[in-house]
Amino acid sequence: MRPNFEAMTNKELIAYALAHREDVEPLRVLYSRRTPDSEATWYGPMFAEDGTPIEENIRIAEEALRQRIEQAEKRKQDSQS
């Protein structure tokens, strides 16, 4: 009997796909869950062509990472409550 891939978490799908490399269905489900490029957040380059850091872009990226980490930690705390 085949597992219900739609009901599996991403972590479960990855584990299944690694254990059953001949089966492409879990990969199709994983791919369908990804964020489309049209909804992705794009950031500018961190360095100019000459290798000089672009401080403003670095600051923006660092702030975005901080926010993502805070959100993940909050979700983790909420799920443990």
Side-chain angles (χ1 to χ4, degrees):
M1 179 177 220
R2 258 176 103 80
N4 180 355
F5 297 122
E6 298 292 339
M8 294 172 95
T9 65
N10 286 354
K11 198 173 203 176
E12 292 169 333
L13 281 169
I14 292 167
Y16 183 91
L18 290 172
H20 302 87
R21 293 178 183 263
E22 73 287 348
D23 194 350
V24 297
E25 184 64 14
L27 299 176
R28 185 195 62 75
V29 173
L30 271 172
Y31 186 78
S32 72
R33 292 180 181 178
R34 75 174 185 79
T35 303
D37 289 345
S38 63
E39 295 176 17
T41 303
W42 296 93
Y43 297 97
M46 301 296 116
F47 298 92
E49 287 187 26
D50 66 358
T52 307
I54 303 173
E55 297 298 331
E56 181 63 11
N57 289 355
I58 293 171
R59 187 193 62 73
I60 291 169
E62 286 174 342
E63 180 58 29
L65 286 170
R66 264 193 289 284
Q67 289 175 2
R68 294 281 305 266
I69 291 168
E70 288 172 6
Q71 290 170 354
E73 289 173 350
K74 184 173 180 345
R75 280 193 302 268
K76 185 175 180 181
Q77 288 174 354
D78 290 347
S79 69
Q80 292 174 349
S81 299

